[in-house]
Amino acid sequence: MSGPRPVVLSGPSGAGKSTLLKRLMQEYEGVFGFSVSHTTRNPRPGEENGKDYHFTTREKMQEGIDNGDFIENAVFSGNMYGTSKSAIEDVQAQNLICILDVDLQGVKNIKQTDLNPIYISIQPPSMEILEQRLRDRQTETEESLQKRLEAARIDMELSKEPGIFDIVIINDDQNEAYMKLKSALIEEIQKVQDAKK
């Protein structure tokens, strides 16, 4: 695959990945692109097919996985999620840095490919703060919240394993976390900007 190195961003739900990404994409407009993931879950209000996710059926997605069309896939809360090779290539073809927002299972799957991305983990300062952030969203049932917290506990433990991530950012202070994220990516950002000149 040619084009700028992709970025694999991981971390539990509620760690603040989306907020940091939004800032990055506002500051560096036209530098980043998202690979649009596939999922078998139903769209949430306001989500668009092809923009937020490629919403699909279990059968279709399983067929793609069996054919080797996905670089990673996972099952979360009973729904399938995955990143197709073509979704990444679409972004790289536009000379953009492709951002992949995946869980740890996805990170481990990507490590088995020839993608060569920059691996970044965004972590919450503590489980208590994470739980508060998730509760403040008021988007989940208690049962699904508990599942997310359990997944986050595992995620936080495993992210400490040496060699999994190039950088682990604790999102305690948003500005500080943002500066760390930016400095981890500045070299690739520069390449894209230079290519546009």
Side-chain angles (χ1 to χ4, degrees):
M1 289 188 186
S2 60
R5 272 179 85 186
V7 174
V8 167
L9 210 53
S10 191
S13 184
K17 292 187 308 271
S18 307
T19 311
L20 293 172
L21 269 179
K22 267 190 197 119
R23 275 183 72 174
L24 198 62
M25 293 178 97
Q26 279 170 339
E27 184 172 346
Y28 296 101
E29 212 177 309
V31 171
F32 294 95
F34 270 104
S35 70
V36 179
S37 297
H38 286 65
T39 184
T40 58
R41 79 160 166 77
N42 292 325
R44 293 190 182 130
E47 286 183 331
E48 283 176 52
N49 188 32
K51 183 173 177 265
D52 298 289
Y53 282 98
H54 294 294
F55 294 101
T56 185
T57 64
R58 291 187 91 81
E59 297 72 35
K60 268 199 176 136
M61 190 149 167
Q62 193 57 58
E63 192 183 310
I65 292 165
D66 295 343
N67 291 336
D69 300 339
F70 285 81
I71 63 155
E72 63 84 28
N73 62 84
V75 174
F76 189 76
S77 299
N79 294 304
M80 295 169 81
Y81 292 84
T83 307
S84 69
K85 290 175 181 171
S86 63
I88 298 169
E89 287 162 359
D90 289 349
V91 176
Q92 288 181 317
Q94 301 167 56
N95 194 37
L96 297 174
I97 297 171
C98 182
I99 298 198
L100 297 113
D101 182 351
V102 297
D103 68 359
L104 265 171
Q105 196 181 330
V107 169
K108 289 182 172 172
N109 289 344
I110 294 169
K111 288 212 175 254
Q112 308 299 314
T113 70
D114 59 359
L115 196 62
N116 186 32
I118 300 166
Y119 293 94
I120 300 175
S121 174
I122 308 283
Q123 294 291 330
S126 68
M127 278 308 293
E128 294 71 32
I129 290 172
L130 182 72
E131 182 171 350
Q132 196 51 58
R133 286 179 186 171
L134 289 173
R135 286 192 185 283
D136 290 348
R137 286 182 183 177
Q138 297 180 337
T139 54
E140 336 236 350
T141 62
E142 186 59 34
E143 186 191 353
S144 83
L145 182 85
Q146 290 308 324
K147 276 186 186 161
R148 279 198 190 275
L149 288 171
E150 186 47 39
R153 261 187 217 70
I154 296 166
D155 190 302
M156 288 168 77
E157 256 331 287
L158 294 176
S159 72
K160 293 176 185 147
E161 275 181 36
I164 291 194
F165 292 102
D166 297 317
I167 179 171
V168 174
I169 299 170
I170 307 296
N171 189 5
D172 194 1
D173 174 295
Q174 197 193 89
N175 286 330
E176 215 172 284
Y178 179 66
M179 295 318 280
K180 284 180 182 162
L181 179 61
K182 202 162 95 166
S183 71
L185 300 176
I186 202 70
E187 209 174 294
E188 291 302 312
I189 290 170
Q190 213 62 61
K191 283 181 199 168
V192 172
Q193 289 176 326
D194 290 347
K196 287 190 188 319
K197 284 177 186 162

